[in-house]
Amino acid sequence: MTIQPRPTRTIPKLAIYDRMESQVRSYARSMPRQFTRAEGVWMYDENDGRYLDFLAGCSTLNYGHNHPILKQALLDYISADGITHSLDLHTEAKADFLHTFETLILKPRNLDYRAMFTGPTGTNAVEAALKLARKITGRQHVVAFTNGFHGMTLGALACTGNAGKRGGAGIPLNHVSHEPYDGYYGPDVDTAQMLDQRLSDPSSGLDAPAAILVETVQGEGGLNTASPEWLRSIADIAKRHGALLIVDDIQAGCGRTGSFFSFEDVGIVPDIVTLAKSLSGMGLPFALTLFHPELDQWSPGEHNGTFRGNNHAFVTATATLRHFWSSDAFMEDVKRRGNYLGKRLEKMAEAHDLSTRGRGMMRGLDVKSGKIAQRITSVAFERGLIIETSGAHDEVVKVLAPLVIDDDLLVQGLDILEDCVRRAYEPAFVVAAD
Ligand SMILES: *Cc1c(COP(=O)(O)O)cnc(C)c1O
């Protein structure tokens, strides 16, 4: 299968976006096309341009676009006049999801969590987690980490590191400190030990935290990866200092790192876990906050939301769990592809004296410059490969291919990427682009 060259002329139809849509849009700027349909790992524009999707909705489309089994489950449900919206009423679709999640995900992993359906975005799941931790501990302060990303609403934004995003708040973002993540000061500094020391010192000025909020792999923050030892230390520190451990698994969860939860091979059991992005399996909005039953100290309606009963998402999430998660076969495939991806990125890194980031199918190439990363992604887009950047300076080219991608298409996409990286370092290209 070959990837078709894209027409580069500007499409007059895009004028509507300049005229009507807010300046706040971002991804659309680096991909100025109008997309019409999508199937599997492919997106199509109105001129029949075809794009291999290595962004996958920032890991929202782990099972690709419009997976036939998920699509059929949803079509059947709608055709039978299944309930669409139900506030938080009991519905058959919700019960199916809860049963399936309990049986296929929690029980086999020996996890005992209660499920809270929040509003359907990731940031809402994080807000709920923070509120709950503060309510239970009676403490206000939260420890988050450098380069962490947790969402755009004020509580979650306060835990987010990126200055550009924080600036949008318009008010002080407080009650959170951003402690150095694993590796922040290089491989020889144990930042978990630093945190422990500061929390143990009554004169360090660091308030006792309600929670420690962490990503195991920092999705937006540059694919920095915490080591299992570091994560175990953080879990231990949380316990000893009376804080709840929240793992934000919104991007790294749902199979991206090679297991359903990104922490399950690490040997920690968080008190609270947030999930969203690929949870519905089909790109429908759906978020979940999980916590140990004894932490379920909410009063009815204390955290609320109109769209907590997204039944269409329950239906596709259940179909996803049944189809992909009833055996280990899918994860074996993901691990194998993840290893291949790692090897290919290592090779690119070696060729240009760069380094790689991430783990599983959540990896990237640190090209040390946002400008070079952008050259790579824009040339890739012209060649029919959708790929984005991550990191404090957008310096990491991030591969988030759907987990279901056929091996030969993964090879083809990485061939294109390799070529784009090579071109970005050719002197002629550098001069022309500058
Ligand atoms: C995307 C993301 C969020 C926010 O999710 P939204 O649905 O955009 O609100 C929070 N945490 C992590 C780790 C994410 O990747």
Side-chain angles (χ1 to χ4, degrees):
M1 225 183 278
T2 54
I3 293 170
Q4 295 169 12
R6 241 86 348 250
T8 48
R9 66 200 147 86
T10 324
I11 300 155
K13 277 189 189 161
L14 298 186
I16 184 70
Y17 302 103
D18 283 335
R19 198 164 70 244
M20 287 291 296
E21 194 185 359
S22 162
Q23 293 296 338
V24 79
R25 64 199 190 278
S26 61
Y27 293 107
R29 295 171 190 277
S30 48
M31 302 176 219
R33 298 290 187 279
Q34 183 161 275
F35 295 96
T36 47
R37 64 193 178 89
E39 195 187 339
V41 298
W42 298 103
M43 291 188 77
Y44 298 86
D45 71 20
E46 59 194 341
N47 297 327
D48 279 335
R50 189 168 71 146
Y51 305 81
L52 187 58
D53 188 359
F54 271 23
L55 176 58
C58 295
S59 201
T60 302
L61 296 160
N62 282 0
Y63 314 93
H65 294 266
N66 294 318
H67 189 283
I69 290 184
L70 312 185
K71 185 169 79 175
Q72 196 55 52
L74 184 57
L75 287 171
D76 291 346
Y77 183 79
I78 293 174
S79 303
D81 283 331
I83 285 165
T84 298
H85 180 266
S86 56
L87 297 170
D88 65 8
L89 295 175
H90 300 154
T91 64
E92 202 175 20
K94 187 197 279 189
D96 279 351
F97 171 76
L98 287 170
H99 276 302
T100 312
F101 192 76
E102 183 180 46
T103 316
L104 294 181
I105 302 299
L106 296 183
K107 288 238 165 96
R109 291 165 182 77
N110 245 328
L111 293 170
D112 188 13
Y113 285 129
R114 204 156 271 184
M116 171 180 181
F117 300 110
T118 65
T121 59
T123 197
N124 212 305
V126 173
E127 293 291 343
L130 295 171
K131 275 193 193 175
L132 186 61
R134 286 179 168 131
K135 177 182 160 95
I136 288 172
T137 60
R139 299 174 177 179
Q140 297 183 340
H141 192 73
V142 166
V143 165
F145 292 95
T146 49
N147 288 305
F149 179 85
H150 301 286
M152 288 292 111
T153 51
L154 292 178
L157 187 55
C159 299
T160 293
N162 184 289
K165 301 279 188 276
R166 293 172 66 81
I171 56 162
L173 295 172
N174 42 27
H175 306 307
V176 177
S177 59
H178 298 264
E179 305 299 321
Y181 192 70
D182 192 16
Y184 189 72
Y185 293 121
D188 299 329
V189 180
D190 181 353
T191 59
Q193 201 270 326
M194 285 170 59
L195 175 61
D196 193 17
Q197 189 174 334
R198 265 155 55 75
L199 286 172
S200 306
D201 176 357
S203 276
S204 70
L206 183 56
D207 291 332
I212 300 182
L213 171 63
V214 67
E215 294 162 272
T216 64
V217 184
Q218 296 186 311
E220 299 301 303
L223 300 178
N224 309 304
T225 305
S227 72
E229 304 78 61
W230 188 85
L231 286 167
R232 285 195 291 269
S233 299
I234 294 295
D236 177 59
I237 290 165
K239 194 175 231 153
R240 278 190 289 107
H241 294 281
L244 296 173
L245 178 68
I246 308 173
V247 169
D248 181 348
D249 230 7
I250 288 172
Q251 188 159 156
C254 298
R256 184 49 67 182
T257 61
S259 49
F260 188 85
F261 294 106
S262 70
F263 55 80
E264 62 191 70
D265 296 330
V266 168
I268 60 168
V269 181
D271 299 296
I272 306 180
V273 183
T274 55
L275 290 173
K277 290 202 164 84
S278 267
L279 183 61
S280 78
M282 220 178 123
L284 295 173
F286 185 26
L288 196 55
T289 305
L290 300 168
F291 35 79
H292 292 310
E294 68 273 18
L295 300 180
D296 192 9
Q297 296 174 24
W298 291 110
S299 335
E302 191 176 358
H303 186 81
N304 216 326
T306 307
F307 291 106
R308 288 168 302 143
N310 186 353
N311 287 272
H312 291 174
F314 292 147
V315 169
T316 57
T318 304
T320 300
L321 296 179
R322 289 196 181 127
H323 184 69
F324 291 99
W325 293 95
S326 39
S327 80
D328 293 336
F330 175 56
M331 269 307 95
E332 296 303 321
D333 273 351
V334 173
K335 282 183 183 145
R336 189 173 46 73
R337 286 182 196 126
N339 287 337
Y340 175 76
L341 170 61
K343 282 196 194 115
R344 289 294 304 265
L345 291 174
E346 274 308 327
K347 204 178 132 214
M348 294 178 215
E350 267 167 35
H352 304 281
D353 198 20
L354 305 169
S355 54
T356 62
R357 297 271 178 273
R359 62 183 170 98
M361 280 288 276
M362 186 173 188
R363 296 185 200 245
L365 191 64
D366 182 355
V367 300
K368 298 185 278 199
S369 147
K371 221 166 150 191
I372 294 176
Q374 204 234 319
R375 273 179 210 152
I376 294 169
T377 55
S378 55
V379 175
F381 185 69
E382 291 306 321
R383 297 193 46 190
L385 179 69
I386 293 178
I387 187 162
E388 265 293 343
T389 59
S390 160
H393 307 283
D394 296 321
E395 75 283 18
V396 178
V397 178
K398 168 161 105 162
V399 180
L400 288 177
L403 305 182
V404 296
I405 189 168
D406 284 342
D407 292 357
D408 62 330
L409 286 175
L410 182 60
V411 172
Q412 266 191 59
L414 290 172
D415 287 347
I416 294 177
L417 180 62
E418 187 171 9
D419 203 46
C420 295
V421 172
R422 191 182 309 126
R423 280 194 50 197
Y425 286 99
E426 276 169 9
F429 187 92
V430 175
V431 172
D434 286 342

